[in-house]
Amino acid sequence: MNKIATICPYCGCGCGLYLHVENNTIVGVSPVRNHLVNKGSLCVKSWNCFEFVHHPDRLKYPLIKEKNGAFRRASWDEALRLVAARLLEIRKSSGPDSISIVSSAKSTNEENYVMMKFARAVIGTNNIDHCARLCHSSTVGGLADSFGSGAMTNSINEIVHAKLLFVIGSNTTEQHPMIGMHMLDAVDRGAVLIVADPRKTQIAGLAQFHLRHRPGTDVALLNGIMNVIIDDRLVDIPFVKRRTEKFDSFRALITKYPPEAVERITGVSAQDIKKVARLYATEKKAMLFYSMGITQHTTGVDNVCACANLTMLTGHIGLPMTGLNPLRGQNNVQGACDMGALPNVYSGYQEIRDPKSRKKFEMAWKVKLPRDPGLTLMEMFNGVLKGDTKALYIMGENPAVSNPDVTHTVNALKKLDFLVVQDIFLSDTAEYAHVVLPAATFAEKDGTFTNTERRVQKISAAIEPVGESKPDWEIICALSREMGYDLNYRATHEIMEEIALLTPIYRGILHHRLEGDSGLQWPCPSATHPGTPFLHRKKFAKGFGTFMPVDYVPPAEMPDSEFPFILTTGRTCFHYHTRTMSRRTSTLERECPECLIEINPSDADSLQIKHMNVVRVSSRRGVLTGRVYITENTPGGVVFMPFHFGEAPVNMLTNPALDPSAKIPEYKVCAVRIELIK
Amino acid sequence: MKEIYLPIKAEVVEVLDMTPDTKLFKVKPERPVHYQPGQFFMLSLWGKGEVPISITSACGFHEYVELCIRRVGYITSAIHEVKPPCDIGLRGPFGNTFLAENAKNKDIIFVAGGLGIAPLRPLITRVMNEKKRSRRIALLYGSRNPGEILFKDDIEAWQEKGLQLFLGVRKGLQFILSAGKKDNCLLSGSGPAAESSRIPKISFKNAYAFVCGPPVMISPTMITLSTMGMDENNIYTSLEAHMKCGVGKCGHCYVDGVHLCTDGPIFSYAEIRKRRLQIV
Amino acid sequence: MKKNLIMDKNYLSYWLRQIRKTMSLIAPMRLKNADIVFKQVDNIHEIELDCPASLPSPKEFLLPQKEYMFRFSKNSVDVLKDCTKRLIFGVRSCDISAIDLMDRFFGEKFVDEYYMSRRENTVFISIVCNNPDPTCFCIGLGTGPFLKSNFDIQLTDLGDRYLVETGSKQGADLIRGYSHLFSRPKKSDYDDQYEVILSSQSKFEKRISLENTRQKILNEKINDLFWDWIARRCFECGGCVYACPVCTCFNVVDRMEQEGDGYRFRIWDACMFKGFTRMAGNVWPAEKKGSRIKQRYFHKLLYYPDHFGRFGCVGCGRCTITCPGHVDMATIAHRIDVGDRRRR
Ligand SMILES: Cc1cc2nc3c(=O)[nH]c(=O)nc-3n(C[C@H](O)[C@H](O)[C@H](O)COP(=O)(O)OP(=O)(O)OC[C@H]3O[C@@H](n4cnc5c(N)ncnc54)[C@H](O)[C@@H]3O)c2cc1C
Ligand code: SF4
Ligand code: SF4
Ligand code: FES
């Protein structure tokens, strides 16, 4: 039996694990003990992360859709030739911008880079985006405005040494279990834990302070906290003076948020707001964490800016055991952003509008590159319905379940002239594809993942690809050769070399430096640089940190007499996103086989609903049915549903209203009605 | 070494619809099997999985076995799709049995709720077929509605042989639950064959009871029977649990120190109390 | 069968290299990331004997996390049994004690042929622990740091040589034919072994008496609130069960590949999951996390002793290492012992 060290394919924690291989079959998993993130622990998904690799549903050869709508097996040659021909044809007839590319936060950095190069250099469009749009685009946007860099500022292994942890909008123990573990360790060492979350999650149950604000009132809550800090003269004045700008206009706005007024908006007592504000401001080693509860709102960017303001106001940034720490969802969503799988930047957040960087990439890639930023994820689908987008190339994502307002998305998918889906399973989205290309899983390829704390880590192939499947990068390279651009790498380390060459923050990151280690944290500007555990040390990435005054704006859709409940969505610890992997894992699927709709006992009483009754949940956009799970953990007036289930696609209900700048949809608040089905 | 996980082949020869969600399967195992009342098979459908199913045909050494299966989930739905002739897999018989030997010549009361009649059927048939029987036998049988009464033919045959029958329908289970409240009576339901407020004519002191049915029914019934004066050691029931192996290895059915599949599924009320087994 | 010998340390690699010709050799190896794991040995010089306990335990060679049981097609069924001959070198005493428990569990009543087939083809060479980890507490359970019996071969590191004790026929077979490598032990060798064991015993940081814990539970000093309180920190990862060398639960899963073709495998399962005992119609007999943790610890602390006369824990400390919420045997035993019910 051999054991191959690699990185977990599920969440952004980036835990190290071994795959146990016998006769080219994975028979087990065990945690890496010396890994800085997981230290010998794993979560349930990770302990079972090998089962889906050998699932019979794996796509084993390319599929081409026949006229009658059925898929037939095809050879790689035929499939690639067809894709190349169709893409070239559409590019010729409707221009390169009629083709859009959806990259993947599940694929490696190398693959995202190659995909980005494929879009820009081969197709000639900036229409490339990925699911970060749906989870953390507001982080990227908001923090770019405030600090100049949209990533977790500090490191996971600082958490245990912190003295105060403020967690807002993150169900950490379930969604980022290994970060949750570090938090509990910190609490054991005497740290104060403050959780702001409408739901009583496990971590909220362990916190000294649990602020149960109403969904969507985060800005008000944070402004209220800052109001107290300013009033009590707890502002870190030297820091604000030396390192930030625009404090005065910000201060003027904050006076509008005395805790008593905030209490009325959020439902959190003024007393608690004051206590928390004082604790946070006076403790030097205070870390702030947030996740999808902050970002997935129409006010997502505002929420992020409010968090950033709080850290600057108290000087809790640029030092160890402090900072603003967005917890990224997918295992490589940070990497996919870093690699420039975004419509407006090249790898390393180099603006495409900036002629200097464009020039650099043009020289390296030896082609002329498009100048204007491309379409974002939701705009692509809108573009299809408008008729501007003709072809879509989706790598490893499942928008038919994960996009908001899925009916709209499915209509778009149906309308496309040409859809290529490259995935490990025949996902709901792949059903609509004209060509499906079988990709290899994390266990069958080499490359790197970048976890939420910017740690670039090496993954290694444990087995041969199943069937005829191939790693994503090989597929893209073969396709681009078919299209007449010689994209040629012998192995993933060659791609990494090119990335390092063209990307200042990755300059020193090369495969041989990652081997047998817990990786390197970018920025890593040279081949001898040890990596950067915390950002903004002496100076913000953009020079001065900017206070962005943000006002509380209620969510786009509030409950009314017709739709009296707030629906908020999230995940459970047993599944991952649209379940393509986790539902093919026996233990995970058994634990959580169906979508349970969580409501508060008092609401259940008034609706005369009993535990496990079947109900109909409807919003202005759609209807679905499911069983009710009655729990105190969900506050009154709120309904919680996980979005994993294609059979109960919650995103049929959610509001596709977008944040004006980040274009992130409001997954966390929409109005619904609940009726008992007799 | 004996392969404990390898099912033997069995041919489904006949499928009878009993109620909309319950079917009776007559199967012919590759080789005849010997079993006792109360035992179960692990029924195996390749590609779907295995489920424990009680044997409902007369016990002994037989070429055919009958299994009565209700459609409740993934595997049972798949079994319901089976059309004869077709092969399924069987492992077993597993589990302990209703110890009817101790009950020799004692009065017996059977209490069945819904599908609970299935595992009791072999035992009832056996005692009803005893030659020169002097003891009294009663069956209390509750089901949700008249259409869901299973094994009507058998019941008639038993009645002819002197079985005291008490049927309760509609709130079939409740008629047994409400027992003991009104005038120390065991029955207060209504139904085609049941008059209200009757007590089986048996001597509770020395009688044996075999109780089978859904968990909500089991513990109140056992409590009632013991307040009626029955010895706790003489009240038996069959407990249910999630089972995967049936041979005491997978651990799924392990509760409170016993493997229900090998140490059970039949337990006396005294044992349940002593071990504080959870009835779910 | 029981026979004691002395072997010069320099002969070890030669001996192992010879044995490797007839069976697959598995031993603790140091990896680039400084972890020590049990895996197939490519280079005998890379074996690390002076190392912390491996994660997971060597039970994975007898009961792998995922084990194929049958491959079936429309009209045939193949039994897939592993009969590879293995030597597992450098196992700890606690793990050997755990394997002894597993042997009894899988061998009683219905004999588990998959386990047995692997077991009969595997020999273990265990080593007396000179340096117990801070998490180890086998000393209070008699399952380590050395064994008096039940091992195949036990080595004691005496500096420049090993004391080699054989305790079974399989162990003796490994020695046969290599008498030129071994010599008779002198009295001083036994004295040295005694020293080693004494010094090792003095190094234990954790002294835990599970018997006290058991008594407290039996005397009903512990109520369900305690378990619920403990459970608040459980992440439901199942790691404690997966990592434990004594835990044996598994699930059986069928996978259909094409019409009629497929396989049935078993995979580690854990009583820490709500669905472990789920019954049709959404009945969860152990819906509360606390009741599941209670079940696991009652099994180890009450039911194992009742049935096997030994605790279902060998004090290896792996649950302490792997549990993200510190819900482990040592912590729970300690909490029960000192009666600590405070918040934290
Ligand atoms: C000793 C014994 C005898 C039984 N006899 C009969 C009988 O004669 N007729 C009959 O219709 N049913 C009987 N059952 C119940 C029957 O086994 C379950 O209805 C069946 O397992 C449900 O499986 P499923 O896949 O259809 O349900 P799902 O809900 O899809 O179950 C999934 C898995 O959970 C397990 N499981 C779920 N519910 C149960 C349960 N109640 N008992 C055991 N395992 C469960 C199974 O292993 C199954 O693989 C018996 C159960 C036991 C323990
Ligand atoms: S319970 Fe913990 S310490 Fe005991 S044997 Fe299992 S893993 Fe080791
Ligand atoms: S290892 Fe810890 S967190 Fe995981 S299931 Fe066990 S007790 Fe719970
Ligand atoms: S069913 Fe497997 S142990 Fe009882």
Side-chain angles (χ1 to χ4, degrees):
Chain A
M1 180 190 287
N2 202 359
K3 295 189 179 175
I4 285 123
T6 189
I7 302 295
C8 172
Y10 281 106
C11 80
C13 293
C15 300
L17 50 83
Y18 297 106
L19 293 175
H20 305 184
V21 179
E22 210 158 336
N23 304 327
N24 204 31
T25 309
I26 307 176
V27 295
V29 161
S30 57
V32 176
R33 264 187 89 174
N34 279 325
H35 197 278
L36 289 173
V37 175
N38 57 315
K39 303 191 174 189
S41 302
L42 285 177
C43 77
V44 61
K45 291 189 289 290
S46 205
W47 272 110
N48 289 289
C49 74
F50 63 101
E51 207 188 314
F52 72 87
V53 174
H54 294 294
H55 195 283
D57 287 356
R58 275 291 299 280
L59 287 171
K60 297 193 186 71
Y61 34 78
L63 297 172
I64 292 179
K65 194 175 260 164
E66 294 280 11
K67 287 246 159 35
N68 64 9
F71 284 115
R72 77 170 160 83
R73 178 176 179 161
S75 70
W76 270 108
D77 259 1
E78 186 191 358
L80 288 178
R81 225 174 296 137
L82 177 68
V83 175
R86 291 289 284 137
L87 289 181
L88 287 172
E89 204 176 292
I90 291 170
R91 184 172 71 176
K92 196 154 163 226
S93 62
S94 318
D97 286 337
S98 64
I99 302 172
S100 291
I101 307 256
V102 181
S103 196
S104 173
K106 280 253 160 288
S107 302
T108 60
N109 288 328
E110 289 77 359
E111 286 161 347
N112 275 291
Y113 175 82
V114 170
M115 193 52 149
M116 179 293 278
K117 186 168 171 183
F118 175 74
R120 298 195 157 121
V122 183
I123 305 275
T125 178
N126 281 321
N127 294 344
I128 177 166
D129 204 359
H130 68 284
C131 74
R133 186 65 50 197
L134 307 178
C135 60
H136 270 294
S137 59
S138 29
T139 298
V140 174
L143 292 190
D145 293 345
S146 304
F147 301 159
S149 166
M152 186 161 161
T153 60
N154 287 56
S155 300
I156 294 170
N157 49 14
E158 289 168 19
I159 297 174
V160 284
H161 306 293
K163 285 280 166 266
L164 184 141
L165 304 167
F166 186 5
V167 180
I168 180 162
S170 160
N171 180 1
T172 322
T173 44
E174 286 196 45
Q175 272 22 298
H176 297 89
M178 292 305 117
I179 295 180
M181 165 179 87
H182 286 257
M183 290 182 178
L184 296 198
D185 283 350
V187 171
D188 284 349
R189 290 163 158 236
V192 178
L193 177 63
I194 302 166
V195 175
D197 193 327
R199 295 174 63 217
K200 185 161 189 240
T201 54
Q202 184 183 11
I203 188 139
L206 293 159
Q208 282 91 329
F209 290 94
H210 178 199
L211 312 178
R212 293 185 92 163
H213 58 307
R214 294 194 185 100
T217 60
D218 309 77
V219 168
L221 179 68
L222 291 165
N223 280 355
I225 290 174
M226 291 188 273
N227 179 293
V228 177
I229 293 176
I230 293 177
D231 257 16
D232 287 10
R233 299 175 188 287
L234 296 171
V235 177
D236 186 340
I237 298 170
F239 183 90
V240 171
K241 276 205 181 122
R242 265 192 303 118
R243 309 240 344 230
T244 67
E245 55 185 19
K246 306 219 176 117
F247 177 63
D248 293 330
S249 58
F250 162 76
R251 190 224 291 269
L253 176 114
I254 288 296
T255 51
K256 287 200 303 190
Y257 291 90
E260 290 71 23
V262 171
E263 177 173 343
R264 260 171 274 129
I265 305 175
T266 60
V268 179
S269 76
Q271 207 56 34
D272 280 352
I273 295 176
K274 285 183 190 155
K275 270 195 208 141
V276 166
R278 286 170 195 151
L279 275 171
Y280 180 77
T282 48
E283 183 51 69
K284 272 285 133 217
K285 294 180 180 171
M287 299 179 82
L288 178 58
F289 299 86
Y290 72 81
S291 191
M292 253 56 60
I294 282 288
T295 58
Q296 288 177 339
H297 290 282
T298 42
T299 55
V301 173
D302 293 357
N303 290 350
V304 171
C305 289
C307 292
N309 291 344
L310 180 58
T311 56
M312 288 189 287
L313 192 65
T314 47
H316 288 342
I317 191 146
L319 294 167
M321 280 78 81
T322 63
L324 179 55
N325 301 290
L327 304 178
R328 308 295 302 252
Q330 295 273 22
N331 55 343
N332 198 32
V333 64
Q334 183 67 51
C337 291
D338 295 348
M339 289 305 115
L342 295 171
N344 57 340
V345 289
Y346 300 116
S347 59
Y349 307 97
Q350 303 174 70
E351 291 277 342
I352 58 167
R353 281 223 188 80
D354 176 11
K356 265 221 318 270
S357 35
R358 195 167 61 241
K359 196 80 182 270
K360 177 167 83 178
F361 280 92
E362 280 177 350
M363 269 167 55
W365 294 348
K366 305 194 179 63
V367 282
K368 201 106 192 85
L369 293 174
R371 290 156 176 269
D372 293 323
L375 300 177
T376 62
L377 191 63
M378 294 311 298
E379 287 167 347
M380 289 176 192
F381 288 93
N382 296 340
V384 179
L385 293 177
K386 270 194 262 149
D388 301 341
T389 303
K390 304 272 188 234
L392 207 53
Y393 193 128
I394 301 178
M395 168 167 90
E397 291 212 343
N398 191 6
V401 180
S402 59
N403 272 10
D405 195 357
V406 289
T407 334
H408 174 87
T409 307
V410 167
N411 287 340
L413 290 173
K414 283 187 190 149
K415 189 162 177 258
L416 279 165
D417 285 359
F418 192 56
L419 173 63
V420 186
V421 172
Q422 180 172 316
D423 211 327
I424 55 174
F425 293 109
L426 198 69
S427 63
D428 304 64
T429 311
E431 303 279 349
Y432 303 99
H434 297 96
V435 180
V436 180
L437 302 175
T441 61
F442 79 109
E444 301 149 26
K445 63 190 179 192
D446 290 325
T448 56
F449 285 153
T450 306
N451 80 349
T452 180
E453 50 163 355
R454 300 167 277 110
R455 188 182 296 285
V456 184
Q457 310 188 87
K458 179 88 192 359
I459 63 162
S460 307
I463 54 169
E464 294 292 313
V466 169
E468 289 176 18
S469 66
K470 288 184 185 182
D472 291 310
W473 66 271
E474 283 185 23
I475 303 176
I476 305 163
C477 289
L479 177 61
S480 82
R481 285 196 296 272
E482 198 68 50
M483 291 176 70
Y485 182 94
D486 190 25
L487 208 55
N488 216 342
Y489 304 97
R490 260 170 306 165
T492 48
H493 67 86
E494 289 190 359
I495 309 176
M496 201 61 184
E497 279 159 21
E498 185 175 322
I499 297 171
L501 199 70
L502 292 170
T503 316
I505 55 173
Y506 273 69
R507 183 129 312 145
I509 300 180
L510 293 166
H511 279 190
H512 70 268
R513 293 191 66 195
L514 307 173
E515 221 52 85
D517 218 341
S518 297
L520 287 169
Q521 286 173 286
W522 66 254
C524 178
S526 75
T528 49
H529 192 281
T532 312
F534 61 92
L535 299 179
H536 313 304
R537 205 173 150 194
K538 305 230 165 96
K539 192 162 149 278
F540 280 104
K542 68 190 257 283
F544 284 107
T546 310
F547 279 100
M548 307 287 287
V550 286
D551 241 326
Y552 164 66
V553 181
E557 188 179 59
M558 288 298 270
D560 49 31
S561 54
E562 199 185 345
F563 296 101
F565 287 92
I566 296 182
L567 169 70
T568 178
T569 66
R571 306 197 309 228
T572 77
C573 67
F574 292 105
H575 279 303
Y576 204 74
H577 285 200
T578 61
R579 264 161 82 243
T580 24
M581 283 146 57
S582 55
R583 80 149 177 255
R584 292 181 174 91
T585 304
S586 51
T587 309
L588 302 178
E589 181 61 4
R590 180 195 64 199
E591 280 315 294
C592 185
E594 63 176 333
C595 177
L596 294 179
I597 301 162
E598 293 188 10
I599 65 174
N600 186 277
S602 62
D603 293 332
D605 272 355
S606 62
L607 292 168
Q608 298 187 324
I609 296 173
K610 296 212 177 58
H611 205 47
M612 288 297 156
N613 278 168
V614 179
V615 297
R616 183 185 304 118
V617 184
S618 41
S619 77
R620 291 193 171 78
R621 291 150 297 273
V623 185
L624 56 80
T625 58
R627 278 181 203 283
V628 160
Y629 194 88
I630 297 175
T631 166
E632 290 276 359
N633 296 347
T634 306
V638 175
V639 187
F640 171 79
M641 285 174 81
F643 69 86
H644 307 296
F645 299 88
E647 307 85 69
V650 178
N651 291 337
M652 238 157 60
L653 307 179
T654 47
N655 191 352
L658 301 181
D659 181 284
S661 64
K663 307 280 160 63
I664 192 168
E666 184 142 61
Y667 283 126
K668 292 290 180 218
V669 185
C670 77
V672 294
R673 177 174 56 218
I674 301 179
E675 292 146 301
L676 183 65
I677 297 179
K678 294 263 159 51
Chain B
M1 206 181 295
K2 204 171 154 269
E3 305 273 351
I4 56 172
Y5 298 115
L6 181 67
I8 61 165
K9 226 192 245 176
E11 190 190 338
V12 179
V13 286
E14 203 180 332
V15 181
L16 282 176
D17 284 329
M18 303 189 79
T19 71
D21 64 356
T22 313
K23 288 187 180 180
L24 186 70
F25 293 79
K26 194 169 174 193
V27 299
K28 182 170 186 260
E30 231 167 19
R31 43 181 189 267
V33 283
H34 186 83
Y35 53 86
Q36 295 288 323
Q39 286 196 300
F40 64 92
F41 276 120
M42 291 303 290
L43 192 159
S44 183
L45 275 189
W46 289 109
K48 297 286 176 187
E50 298 189 317
V51 282
I53 298 293
S54 310
I55 305 165
T56 186
S57 47
C59 45
F61 195 68
H62 288 287
E63 237 181 295
Y64 293 94
V65 268
E66 284 171 354
L67 305 169
C68 178
I69 301 170
R70 173 170 290 167
R71 187 181 65 227
V72 290
Y74 180 70
I75 299 167
T76 46
S77 304
I79 297 168
H80 270 230
E81 300 295 308
V82 166
K83 303 237 158 31
C86 174
D87 285 342
I88 56 168
L90 284 185
R91 288 196 292 129
F94 296 129
N96 62 0
T97 68
F98 288 115
L99 277 174
E101 280 65 37
N102 297 349
K104 220 168 220 147
N105 295 328
K106 303 269 169 56
D107 289 357
I108 299 184
I109 177 167
F110 293 100
V111 186
L115 202 56
I117 189 82
L120 289 176
R121 184 169 161 239
L123 188 57
I124 305 178
T125 313
R126 183 197 277 179
V127 294
M128 292 320 297
N129 287 349
E130 279 169 1
K131 295 206 185 75
K132 286 199 269 164
R133 178 170 37 79
S134 58
R135 56 174 156 177
R136 289 165 296 179
I137 315 284
L139 167 65
L140 278 63
Y141 180 19
S143 62
R144 276 176 293 181
N145 61 53
E148 298 208 352
I149 297 174
L150 306 169
F151 303 112
K152 286 193 186 112
D153 299 348
D154 295 70
I155 293 175
E156 261 168 41
W158 297 334
Q159 265 181 305
E160 271 162 31
K161 292 186 182 142
L163 176 84
Q164 309 173 28
L165 178 72
F166 302 86
L167 276 183
V169 283
R170 203 144 25 232
K171 294 192 171 158
L173 301 174
Q174 251 133 12
F175 91 106
I176 294 167
L177 299 183
S178 63
K181 287 201 187 118
K182 255 190 262 152
D183 320 310
N184 197 23
C185 72
L186 203 53
L187 297 177
S188 64
S190 63
E195 292 153 28
S196 45
S197 307
R198 285 198 301 144
I199 301 183
K201 291 182 198 58
I202 56 167
S203 117
F204 280 93
K205 276 238 151 47
N206 295 315
Y208 274 69
F210 298 96
V211 183
C212 237
V216 281
M217 163 202 134
I218 289 179
S219 67
T221 309
M222 291 201 295
I223 293 168
T224 314
L225 290 173
S226 82
T227 52
M228 302 278 297
M230 277 177 98
D231 186 340
E232 288 179 1
N233 285 304
N234 297 348
I235 308 173
Y236 289 92
T237 189
S238 172
L239 296 183
E240 224 179 287
H242 183 135
M243 290 186 183
K244 274 292 168 196
C245 70
V247 289
K249 301 294 180 229
C250 76
H252 283 261
C253 71
Y254 192 76
V255 281
D256 305 308
V258 293
H259 283 105
L260 286 186
C261 62
T262 50
D263 302 331
I266 317 291
F267 292 92
S268 72
Y269 186 40
E271 231 174 322
I272 291 176
R273 298 240 331 218
K274 194 178 115 218
R275 294 183 179 270
R276 300 195 205 163
L277 296 184
Q278 192 187 0
I279 301 171
V280 281
Chain C
M1 228 189 304
K2 205 156 163 71
K3 195 166 164 191
N4 297 346
L5 296 164
I6 284 289
M7 179 174 69
D8 191 294
K9 267 193 177 173
N10 293 320
Y11 294 163
L12 180 68
S13 43
Y14 171 78
W15 183 40
L16 290 179
R17 200 165 294 127
Q18 296 307 313
I19 298 174
R20 187 164 66 166
K21 290 181 181 155
T22 57
M23 53 179 85
S24 146
L25 173 62
I26 286 155
M29 309 285 281
R30 187 174 290 274
L31 304 181
K32 279 196 204 134
N33 59 13
D35 259 10
I36 313 275
V37 299
F38 272 89
K39 60 179 226 167
Q40 184 125 9
V41 176
D42 299 323
N43 186 347
I44 288 179
H45 292 289
E46 285 170 13
I47 295 177
E48 268 285 346
L49 284 182
D50 194 14
C51 63
S54 71
L55 238 186
S57 72
K59 95 171 165 192
E60 59 176 328
F61 297 100
L62 300 175
L63 178 68
Q65 185 165 5
K66 177 179 173 192
E67 179 170 36
Y68 289 94
M69 302 173 83
F70 303 105
R71 165 157 279 287
F72 54 83
S73 63
K74 271 230 168 64
N75 28 31
S76 72
V77 176
D78 292 336
V79 180
L80 308 171
K81 225 177 280 175
D82 179 290
C83 305
T84 319
K85 285 218 173 305
R86 292 189 177 87
L87 166 63
I88 307 194
F89 179 76
V91 182
R92 295 191 159 201
S93 308
C94 54
D95 290 335
I96 298 290
S97 310
I99 287 163
D100 179 44
L101 260 181
M102 281 210 289
D103 287 350
R104 287 159 68 182
F105 172 75
F106 280 116
E108 68 173 0
K109 289 190 210 156
F110 296 91
V111 179
D112 186 301
E113 67 264 18
Y114 291 93
Y115 177 87
M116 280 310 162
S117 150
R118 282 174 180 266
R119 182 66 182 97
E120 280 158 10
N121 286 304
T122 311
V123 271
F124 293 93
I125 297 184
S126 57
I127 179 144
V128 172
C129 291
N130 289 7
N131 286 307
D133 299 346
T135 46
C136 293
F137 58 98
C138 57
I139 187 165
L141 289 157
T143 52
F146 70 102
L147 290 176
K148 296 205 186 76
S149 59
N150 279 330
F151 49 81
D152 292 331
I153 290 186
Q154 173 170 269
L155 304 184
T156 313
D157 186 343
L158 303 178
D160 55 348
R161 62 206 189 282
Y162 288 114
L163 179 72
V164 182
E165 297 166 84
T166 51
S168 74
K169 183 178 164 305
Q170 280 157 307
D173 287 348
L174 289 181
I175 305 267
R176 187 167 312 123
Y178 299 104
S179 51
H180 52 294
L181 301 180
F182 301 97
S183 58
R184 285 266 190 83
K186 296 188 279 292
K187 173 155 184 312
S188 64
D189 292 323
Y190 289 114
D191 292 345
D192 286 353
Q193 185 198 25
Y194 185 67
E195 285 288 315
V196 165
I197 290 171
L198 268 192
S199 109
S200 161
Q201 283 175 336
S202 68
K203 287 183 195 157
F204 279 84
E205 291 177 20
K206 279 202 162 82
R207 307 265 160 179
I208 291 167
S209 158
L210 293 185
E211 192 48 43
N212 281 352
T213 319
R214 175 182 156 83
Q215 287 309 328
K216 284 237 165 93
I217 293 175
L218 284 176
N219 298 334
E220 318 223 334
K221 293 264 161 54
I222 308 301
N223 61 17
D224 284 357
L225 286 176
F226 172 81
W227 298 106
D228 290 341
W229 171 71
I230 288 282
R232 296 176 324 140
R233 299 189 55 143
C234 171
F235 289 57
E236 294 177 81
C237 68
C240 50
V241 177
Y242 295 156
C244 180
V246 182
C247 283
T248 49
C249 291
F250 58 84
N251 196 5
V252 183
V253 181
D254 282 29
R255 291 274 189 237
M256 196 75 110
E257 270 183 342
Q258 276 145 17
E259 267 310 293
D261 281 14
Y263 45 87
R264 177 171 289 174
F265 61 85
R266 63 177 177 188
I267 183 163
W268 287 353
D269 206 340
C271 54
M272 301 303 266
F273 297 132
K274 185 166 97 174
F276 185 74
T277 49
R278 173 186 163 271
M279 295 201 282
N282 290 314
V283 177
W284 291 291
E287 194 163 0
K288 267 169 65 186
K289 232 189 273 177
S291 69
R292 283 173 262 147
I293 296 186
K294 173 174 147 186
Q295 156 78 5
R296 176 160 191 267
Y297 285 90
F298 273 31
H299 190 183
K300 291 196 173 299
L301 295 171
L302 306 185
Y303 312 144
Y304 259 106
D306 287 351
H307 194 82
F308 293 108
R310 275 178 51 189
F311 286 108
C313 168
V314 293
C316 69
R318 286 192 179 87
C319 48
T320 312
I321 296 166
T322 209
C323 177
H326 303 307
V327 182
D328 52 70
M329 183 59 89
T331 309
I332 288 183
H334 177 72
R335 294 267 199 261
I336 290 180
D337 230 22
V338 301
D340 181 346
R341 315 250 165 109
R342 276 168 302 124
R343 217 172 125 78
R344 191 161 293 110

